[in-house]
Amino acid sequence: MDLILCHTTADFDALGAAVGLTRLLPGSKIVLSGGSHPPVRDFLALHRDEYPLIERRSVNPEKIRSLTVVDTQQRDHLGKAAEWLDLADIKEIIIYDHHLGQESDISATRSHISSVGATTTLIVEQLQQQEISLTPAEATVMALGIHVDTGSLTYDQSTPRDALALAWLMQQGASLSVISTYRDPGLSPQLQQLLTESLENLEYLCLRGYTVGWVTLKTDGFVPGLSSLASQLVELTEIDALLLANEYALGEEDSRLTVIGRSQIPKTNLNVLFQLLGGGGHSQAASLNLRGVDSQTILKQLVDGLKAQIPHPPTARDLMSSPVRTILPETTITDAQRILLRYGHSGLSVVDAYGQLVGIISRRDLDVALHHGFSHAPVKGYMTKNLKTIAPDTTLPQIESLMVTYDIGRLPVLENEQLVGLVSRTDVLRELHQERDKDEGGQKFKIQSDASGLALSEAIPKAYAALTKFKIPLSTELQNRLAPQWQLLTIASQEAEKRGWHLYLVGGAVRDLLLAQATSGTLMIKDIDLVVDGFHKSADVGAGVELAKALQQLYPAARLEIHGAFQTAALLWHKDPELDSLWVDIATARTEFYPYPAANPEVEASSIRQDLYRRDFTINAIALRLTTPRAGELLDFFGGLLDLQAKQIRVLHPNSFIEDPTRIYRGVRFAVRFGFQIEPQTEEFIRYAINSGVYDRTAQENSKTPALQTRLKTELKHILEAPYWKSALQLLDNLGALQCIHPTLKLDAELLRQLRLLERCLRRFDAEQTLIHWEMRLEALITQLAPQYRAKVAKNLQLQEDSIKRLQNLASAQTQVMESLPKCESPSQVVQLLRKYDLPMLILIALQSPRSLRHQIWEYLTVWANVQPLLNGNDLKKLGYKPGPQYRQILDDVVAATLDGVIKDRAEAEEFLAQHYPK
């Protein structure tokens, strides 16, 4: 006999999961271990015959072959049926449950435990996999299980998997009318009486913006349906958390206490709280049953425990954008509109000459003024003056209430009557909809590899929704990953905290941490970017520099460089015993504006969100907070984690490539390096920017275009010195992006052949790498241009002077070699012709020469250039030749004779001298 066991006081989820399992385990029977919830009892009164239910007392334990336990992992939740778990002849014990974070005391042979809203969902997924259909009666009770346990998909523990399971059950014929009847059956007369009593005796307190209520009900006996009463009480009173206690007698000297818990407060966990007293459940709903205890002591312990769990709600200081972009009342409508366009804001704060807030003007206000022709009017005539303001310590619930009550889109934050920040409706929505922990024990950061050898954090959810933050335990996984840089980051965060700032690890270091190979052990990152952002006060422009100077005092071996124009500082170590050659950039959070395409950006201090938004791609716009109190928080405002998971390169905003063409090269580099695809919309933006002709126009109109000069050279260096450089060039050519170097440059078959030949030359003639190979590859690309463009492009990219001269003289040198080399009749003539050119020039000439000439150059480099004279200056002196300028000519002639085979040894060399240079 195969039995399926429901826990005592079975709910619809336990019953629904058990019914589904009877289809997965044909012939199995369901045992209700000890009663059921009133709605389940009423439902079974009509539908019991539809399901294979048997009484516990009718079971012969000797015939039990297997046990499957649903919706629990605890023996004491099975009543007397728990005795069967210890039978010697049981072949298999299986658990299906969705309560994470519980220690099971059942010795199961198999367990199916997953973070879904209902255990029934797990069964539905297996039925779908095995393509098993259901009867309408089976589909209905299973749908009831999911509806009740997820609050019809409204509880926080609900997942997309639950929704998909419900949809499938509807396809199987689940009755919506039956579901609506039993999902919310209403309160019995007894419960209605207790509801009135609860409302009269409810105690409550307000803490950190949340309301917690509790009440004790004393009855003559057990009251079924208390969970429905608790839900109704929460709904009527609109409290955020409730502890409903029911105390009743079991006899003259014994009593029992049942406590039902409900919580809608983020980050509270009733399951953890109730487990301490032997109960359990979910983070938002839990219960416990105790005997012979003092009800008030237990209730006080639970209330105190719940109070301790209530998080400090985010305050305006946590949410606000700072510093705030402000204008004076006399600013014209046109100028205000231009500022909005530059910074992408939806409104501006107006302050007087003393920095005090006097009004706010929105984009809509400006649009209306411009529409009516008041472009030169001052904003003071159109701004909103009746303002609602908040303080830095105003909590999120208070902020939300103000915005809803007064329909306000942005709230200025004032401290000592000075404007220190601004909280927008977007800031509030982002915080309200941030992803909660998927498991009840909190998010854990683990590295797991996939088939490509890359690894992603388990914390990257499959259903992303409005995720902006989750936490990484800094003291464990991150510390192990980033050793030995961890100590440096710890000290840097401490120094930032001393000054009241936040410190973030940003960009590539965070990306590489998330993409680190699972087998790589420690992750030695050579380049680290840190960003300082305001905390107790706004960080000023020089915060990054100040922090870098403080660190340099603690690490005197590091060299400090300060770049004032970009508000950044850098610490550099060279072959340090622990940090090796580490480069740490430290900057103040900033925003940027490009005065024209391909220019250097103009930067200003700003918030961490704006700092991330100015970056190139979503996978590089992720930040990890290093400072308390929210250390380990991973900020991802733009979906970078999803793009890491999808293995795609996605740009942050449409004009990104027009403003900075080097982002095209970075995007290609990342795509090839990580094996990612460029997201289709991003590829469209790339092609549009290239085909628009904006780069040619901006180069003609502006003498300085760093993104097409020094910064482009830097990106070319990164690409051409990487092992994947050929694939990157092919992708750049496919996108048409080689036009950024020159409009006529294309990676055709001939250029590919020359690049392959270049690699052979470098391996053969420069094994010691005395040449800079990436520069040679770049020179080979430039040689494909018409001669009149080569030096110009080399100068534009600011290559070294010898590279510029080489490319400038290449055409004439190649002409001379191609005309003269076929006329050379002896090796010595070849040597005399070619020795005037250095190795890089000869390689470039060889790349574009016919095979016969290339063979002669190859032979010169491999053989003839290495032939040494059989005699040297000392030998000539011993033979009686007076030292002087003639020595060079004599030795050159000896080498030539050796090359041409005229002389083969020292004796013949001396004879040659006697004949051609008599004393």
Side-chain angles (χ1 to χ4, degrees):
M1 179 182 295
D2 299 314
L3 297 182
I4 302 167
L5 303 183
C6 298
H7 55 72
T8 56
T9 317
D11 57 12
F12 273 115
D13 187 29
L15 179 61
V19 169
L21 277 169
T22 62
R23 300 302 307 273
L24 292 170
L25 305 170
S28 59
K29 305 295 182 181
I30 301 172
V31 176
L32 300 180
S33 301
S36 57
H37 281 197
V40 176
R41 181 193 61 211
D42 295 343
F43 175 83
L44 289 177
L46 293 176
H47 301 276
R48 178 179 294 272
D49 294 340
E50 304 281 352
Y51 315 115
L53 289 159
I54 62 174
E55 297 287 339
R56 179 181 56 81
R57 60 189 176 184
S58 67
V59 174
N60 183 351
E62 295 180 357
K63 294 185 178 181
I64 300 176
R65 294 182 303 177
S66 71
L67 294 170
T68 302
V69 180
V70 296
D71 205 34
T72 185
Q73 304 168 50
Q74 309 297 319
R75 296 172 64 97
D76 60 1
H77 291 181
L78 298 176
K80 291 185 177 180
E83 299 171 356
W84 298 339
L85 298 170
D86 301 321
L87 294 174
D89 295 333
I90 298 293
K91 295 181 179 179
E92 190 171 34
I93 299 176
I94 308 169
I95 293 176
Y96 284 87
D97 193 19
H98 69 130
H99 300 93
L100 298 183
Q102 295 188 358
E103 290 188 13
S104 175
D105 56 5
I106 299 175
S107 299
T109 53
R110 281 190 290 139
S111 294
H112 302 272
I113 303 172
S114 185
S115 179
V116 290
T119 302
T120 305
T121 297
L122 304 178
I123 312 303
V124 168
E125 291 174 343
Q126 292 199 10
L127 290 170
Q128 289 177 291
Q129 290 172 5
Q130 299 185 30
E131 298 182 350
I132 298 174
S133 59
L134 303 175
T135 66
E138 292 166 339
T140 299
V141 71
M142 295 181 72
L144 267 169
I146 298 176
H147 269 288
V148 171
D149 249 35
T150 65
S152 296
L153 303 178
T154 62
Y155 295 163
D156 276 0
Q157 65 262 25
S158 305
T159 70
R161 295 166 63 183
D162 300 300
L164 292 172
L166 272 179
W168 184 77
L169 291 170
M170 290 180 64
Q171 291 175 340
Q172 297 295 305
S175 171
L176 296 182
S177 61
V178 173
I179 292 170
S180 65
T181 299
Y182 291 98
R183 184 184 64 84
D184 186 14
L187 299 181
S188 67
Q190 182 185 16
L191 290 176
Q192 291 179 22
Q193 177 62 36
L194 291 176
L195 176 60
T196 301
E197 183 179 336
S198 299
L199 290 171
E200 292 175 351
N201 297 296
L202 183 68
E203 299 180 72
Y204 63 91
L205 63 82
C206 294
L207 181 65
R208 298 168 193 153
Y210 300 105
T211 303
V212 177
W214 64 92
V215 65
T216 301
L217 302 173
K218 293 187 178 182
T219 60
D220 295 333
F222 171 73
V223 179
L226 281 176
S227 60
S228 298
L229 173 60
S231 298
Q232 188 80 1
L233 193 55
V234 169
E235 184 175 343
L236 288 174
T237 59
E238 297 185 350
I239 58 178
D240 300 297
L242 170 69
L243 294 171
L244 173 64
N246 175 215
E247 184 180 10
Y248 57 95
L250 282 178
E252 293 184 1
E253 298 181 357
D254 197 5
S255 64
R256 173 165 290 191
L257 176 67
T258 297
V259 183
I260 305 292
R262 295 287 186 269
S263 176
Q264 300 174 19
I265 303 175
K267 299 183 181 179
T268 56
N269 193 320
L270 295 180
N271 179 46
V272 172
L273 182 61
F274 277 54
Q275 276 186 351
L276 297 174
L277 296 172
H282 300 286
S283 60
Q284 288 188 308
S287 64
L288 62 82
N289 291 285
L290 299 173
R291 299 180 66 166
V293 296
D294 182 75
S295 61
Q296 295 309 303
T297 300
I298 295 299
L299 191 58
K300 183 179 185 304
Q301 182 177 342
L302 290 173
V303 171
D304 290 343
L306 183 57
K307 287 162 57 178
Q309 285 189 348
I310 296 175
H312 290 272
T315 64
R317 197 184 299 279
D318 298 316
L319 302 174
M320 71 186 188
S321 297
S322 177
V324 183
R325 204 73 53 197
T326 61
I327 56 176
L328 294 171
E330 293 74 26
T331 305
T332 66
I333 296 294
T334 298
D335 289 342
Q337 185 81 350
R338 187 180 300 114
I339 294 171
L340 280 186
L341 176 64
R342 172 168 179 161
Y343 296 106
H345 294 340
S346 59
L348 291 169
S349 299
V350 185
V351 297
D352 61 19
Y354 302 100
Q356 294 190 343
L357 183 70
V358 295
I360 286 182
I361 190 162
S362 68
R363 177 181 284 116
R364 184 178 181 279
D365 298 330
L366 294 173
D367 289 342
V368 171
L370 288 170
H371 174 73
H372 291 295
F374 292 98
S375 59
H376 296 294
V379 297
K380 62 184 179 182
Y382 292 85
M383 67 186 185
T384 300
K385 300 177 183 178
N386 185 18
L387 302 177
K388 297 291 182 183
T389 62
I390 54 178
D393 57 358
T394 304
T395 63
L396 175 60
Q398 294 170 321
I399 294 171
E400 183 184 7
S401 176
L402 277 173
M403 286 186 167
V404 172
T405 301
Y406 296 101
D407 190 24
I408 301 173
R410 57 191 66 83
L411 285 168
V413 184
L414 300 185
E415 187 172 32
N416 298 324
E417 298 186 357
Q418 294 296 308
L419 182 64
V420 295
L422 189 77
V423 177
S424 69
R425 188 179 283 122
T426 301
D427 297 325
V428 172
L429 290 175
R430 185 184 308 114
E431 188 69 29
L432 289 175
H433 292 88
Q434 71 176 338
E435 182 76 355
R436 291 184 173 92
D437 290 346
K438 291 298 179 183
D439 59 24
E440 295 178 64
Q443 284 287 15
K444 294 184 178 178
F445 179 74
K446 298 180 181 177
I447 299 295
Q448 61 180 16
S449 62
D450 58 18
S452 70
L454 295 175
L456 291 175
S457 166
E458 280 186 353
I460 300 177
K462 293 181 180 177
Y464 198 82
L467 172 63
T468 59
K469 305 170 185 174
F470 67 80
K471 293 199 72 175
I472 295 177
L474 295 185
S475 60
T476 55
E477 191 70 33
L478 183 63
Q479 182 174 354
N480 295 333
R481 278 285 176 194
L482 290 182
Q485 303 106 316
W486 173 252
Q487 183 180 8
L488 170 64
L489 295 178
T490 301
I491 293 174
S493 63
Q494 293 170 351
E495 291 296 319
E497 287 175 5
K498 289 179 184 177
R499 293 160 174 80
W501 301 331
H502 276 319
L503 185 66
Y504 295 88
L505 180 69
V506 299
V510 182
R511 178 201 66 221
D512 292 346
L513 175 66
L514 294 171
L515 287 176
Q517 291 187 2
T519 58
S520 64
T522 59
L523 181 64
M524 189 63 188
I525 299 176
K526 296 293 183 71
D527 296 304
I528 291 178
D529 287 331
L530 299 176
V531 170
V532 180
D533 190 19
F535 178 38
H536 296 302
K537 57 184 179 180
S538 296
D540 60 23
V541 173
V545 174
E546 180 181 335
L547 181 59
K549 289 179 178 178
L551 287 176
Q552 207 267 340
Q553 294 294 317
L554 300 172
Y555 289 90
R559 187 172 86 251
L560 175 64
E561 293 184 358
I562 297 175
H563 310 286
F566 297 101
Q567 306 171 5
T568 64
L571 291 171
L572 296 83
W573 285 262
H574 182 64
K575 295 183 178 180
D576 185 83
E578 291 186 357
L579 298 174
D580 196 19
S581 296
L582 177 65
W583 183 301
V584 178
D585 269 312
I586 306 177
T588 308
R590 52 202 170 125
T591 187
E592 62 185 25
F593 177 78
Y594 288 81
Y596 55 86
N600 277 332
E602 298 173 1
V603 297
E604 298 176 12
S606 186
S607 64
I608 184 62
R609 189 180 190 278
Q610 287 294 320
D611 190 275
L612 294 175
Y613 183 65
R614 72 180 180 82
R615 295 172 185 271
D616 46 18
F617 303 102
T618 59
I619 63 171
N620 295 329
I622 307 173
L624 179 67
R625 187 137 109 182
L626 299 175
T627 43
T628 57
R630 296 158 76 177
E633 187 175 79
L634 198 65
L635 302 186
D636 177 28
F637 299 109
F638 313 110
L641 289 173
L642 273 184
D643 289 331
L644 284 176
Q645 189 181 40
K647 299 182 180 179
Q648 68 178 6
I649 305 297
R650 182 165 60 89
V651 75
L652 280 171
H653 45 88
N655 292 320
S656 183
F657 302 117
I658 289 177
E659 292 177 339
D660 187 355
T662 61
R663 289 173 175 158
I664 300 174
Y665 282 66
R666 283 202 295 278
V668 166
R669 174 158 59 90
F670 295 139
V672 178
R673 174 184 170 188
F674 298 128
F676 285 14
Q677 296 295 317
I678 295 179
E679 183 255 347
Q681 179 74 74
T682 298
E683 182 175 333
E684 288 183 21
F685 291 147
I686 291 174
R687 295 187 184 279
Y688 176 80
I690 292 170
N691 296 331
S692 69
V694 64
Y695 304 142
D696 290 337
R697 290 196 302 273
T698 195
Q700 293 171 6
E701 296 169 0
N702 302 278
S703 59
K704 292 184 178 181
T705 52
L708 293 169
Q709 298 170 325
T710 52
R711 300 211 314 268
L712 180 58
K713 172 191 172 183
T714 299
E715 284 305 317
L716 284 166
K717 175 180 182 293
H718 289 319
I719 289 174
L720 293 174
E721 67 183 4
Y724 48 78
W725 65 271
K726 289 182 183 177
S727 299
L729 284 181
Q730 289 173 331
L731 181 53
L732 285 169
D733 181 66
N734 178 265
L735 294 169
L738 292 179
Q739 294 180 38
C740 294
I741 300 174
H742 192 270
T744 64
L745 184 58
K746 295 184 181 298
L747 190 67
D748 55 20
E750 173 59 21
L751 178 52
L752 283 171
R753 182 194 67 80
Q754 292 184 22
L755 290 172
R756 288 194 297 270
L757 182 59
L758 172 64
E759 293 307 294
R760 288 177 55 198
C761 291
L762 293 175
R763 285 195 302 270
R764 180 65 180 83
F765 305 125
D766 192 36
E768 301 298 325
Q769 296 200 4
T770 58
L771 303 179
I772 302 175
H773 287 196
W774 75 265
E775 286 188 347
M776 287 299 301
R777 292 171 188 136
L778 180 54
E779 289 185 33
L781 291 176
I782 296 174
T783 60
Q784 301 309 296
L785 306 177
Q788 66 268 29
Y789 300 130
R790 294 170 182 169
K792 182 179 180 181
V793 169
K795 290 178 181 177
N796 185 63
L797 294 175
Q798 298 185 13
L799 298 188
Q800 298 184 65
E801 190 63 32
D802 58 345
S803 293
I804 297 173
K805 289 182 178 179
R806 186 160 43 247
L807 290 165
Q808 190 172 25
N809 298 328
L810 175 61
S812 59
Q814 187 172 5
T815 299
Q816 183 178 3
V817 169
M818 293 184 69
E819 289 178 354
S820 304
L821 198 54
K823 301 175 182 178
C824 294
E825 299 177 351
S826 64
S828 62
Q829 292 178 331
V830 173
V831 170
Q832 186 175 6
L833 173 64
L834 299 182
R835 67 183 179 187
K836 67 179 72 172
Y837 305 112
D838 60 10
L839 176 60
M841 178 67 89
L842 287 175
I843 290 176
L844 295 181
I845 292 173
L847 298 184
Q848 299 189 340
S849 298
R851 181 185 296 269
S852 58
L853 298 185
R854 192 166 63 247
H855 176 74
Q856 287 181 286
I857 296 173
W858 186 281
E859 193 163 8
Y860 163 75
L861 292 172
T862 54
V863 180
W864 297 333
N866 299 317
V867 172
Q868 299 296 322
L870 295 172
L871 301 171
N872 57 34
N874 291 330
D875 296 327
L876 294 180
K877 191 173 182 180
K878 290 178 182 178
L879 291 173
Y881 293 94
K882 294 181 180 180
Q886 65 173 345
Y887 269 29
R888 172 173 290 279
Q889 184 62 49
I890 293 173
L891 294 177
D892 285 346
D893 289 345
V894 171
V895 170
T898 305
L899 287 167
D900 296 338
V902 175
I903 58 177
K904 301 181 180 60
D905 53 32
R906 184 183 180 90
E908 292 182 353
E910 292 180 358
E911 184 178 340
F912 176 84
L913 287 180
Q915 181 179 353
H916 292 84
Y917 292 96
K919 300 175 188 176

